Amino acid sequence: MGRAPSADEDLMRALFDEHARPLLGYVIRLTGDRQRAEDIVQETLLRAWRHPEALAGRPARPWLFTVARNLVRDGHRARLARPREIGDEALAVLPADDDLDRAVESWAVAEALADLRPEHREVLIETYYRGRSVKQAADVLGIPQGTVKSRTYYALRALRLALEERGLAP
């Protein structure tokens, strides 16, 4: 067996039954958007329920229409105060530097370099990371130029294998 409706529920039901349809039509004309209008009507009736003293001793419809009009104005002003919202489509056409991918790649390359034999790692660091020529690298490392060339060749092969194991090389 159900319970008897409270006075608040009776007030809301009466307000809805008597005023919701004309109020919705009015707000649709103001907004041009049925969904937004339904939300505003719901908010208007909720405010009437929260403040029944505002309706005491006066006709409800003018108060409800005024509240609804004010909600429409407030919503319009709020949208003007905020930057215009755009969809995700705009993000698809903007170039984006992805530093995170570059950082992860750098860590993986550093780990792969750490797995190389020390003499291979040294020669790659001198020639590729420090940008030294074969002669300069040979002078810094104190080894012949031919050794720098052959170590570079084998170091690059070993590095490629280490990167492939990590899924970073084709």
Side-chain angles (χ1 to χ4, degrees):
M1 190 160 186
R3 63 174 179 78
S6 70
D8 286 346
E9 290 172 341
D10 287 339
L11 170 66
M12 286 307 297
R13 185 162 283 118
L15 283 174
F16 184 84
D17 291 344
E18 188 175 341
H19 304 289
R21 192 185 273 325
L23 189 57
L24 180 62
Y26 173 69
V27 177
I28 288 173
R29 282 190 302 280
L30 290 176
T31 64
D33 180 355
R34 182 175 183 89
Q35 181 66 44
R36 222 168 99 224
E38 288 174 356
D39 291 343
I40 290 171
V41 168
Q42 184 178 11
E43 177 64 24
T44 301
L45 293 173
L46 181 65
R47 289 185 182 195
W49 177 69
R50 286 184 181 157
H51 302 284
E53 72 281 357
L55 300 174
R58 68 168 72 173
R61 188 167 287 183
W63 186 88
L64 292 170
F65 275 58
T66 300
V67 169
R69 185 186 69 238
N70 290 341
L71 288 171
V72 169
R73 281 185 183 161
D74 291 347
H76 179 70
R77 287 180 185 144
R79 280 188 302 284
L80 290 177
R82 288 192 327 240
R84 202 172 126 260
E85 294 178 8
I86 57 173
D88 291 338
E89 302 83 36
L91 297 177
V93 297
L94 292 176
D97 292 333
D98 196 353
D99 293 335
L100 183 60
D101 283 344
R102 235 178 290 142
V104 169
E105 236 174 62
S106 295
W107 289 332
V109 170
E111 287 176 355
L113 274 171
D115 289 347
L116 298 180
R117 293 184 9 208
E119 59 271 12
H120 287 165
R121 186 172 42 252
E122 287 175 336
V123 81
L124 287 181
I125 289 172
E126 293 302 324
T127 56
Y128 283 92
Y129 288 98
R130 294 197 176 129
R132 293 195 167 117
S133 67
V134 171
K135 180 180 180 342
Q136 291 170 329
D139 291 342
V140 168
L141 297 172
I143 57 176
Q145 290 181 29
T147 306
V148 170
K149 289 179 185 178
S150 65
R151 281 187 187 171
T152 302
Y153 173 79
Y154 289 110
L156 286 173
R157 286 182 58 184
L159 181 62
R160 181 181 180 137
L161 181 63
L163 290 172
E164 284 176 352
E165 288 172 358
R166 289 170 172 76
L168 292 173

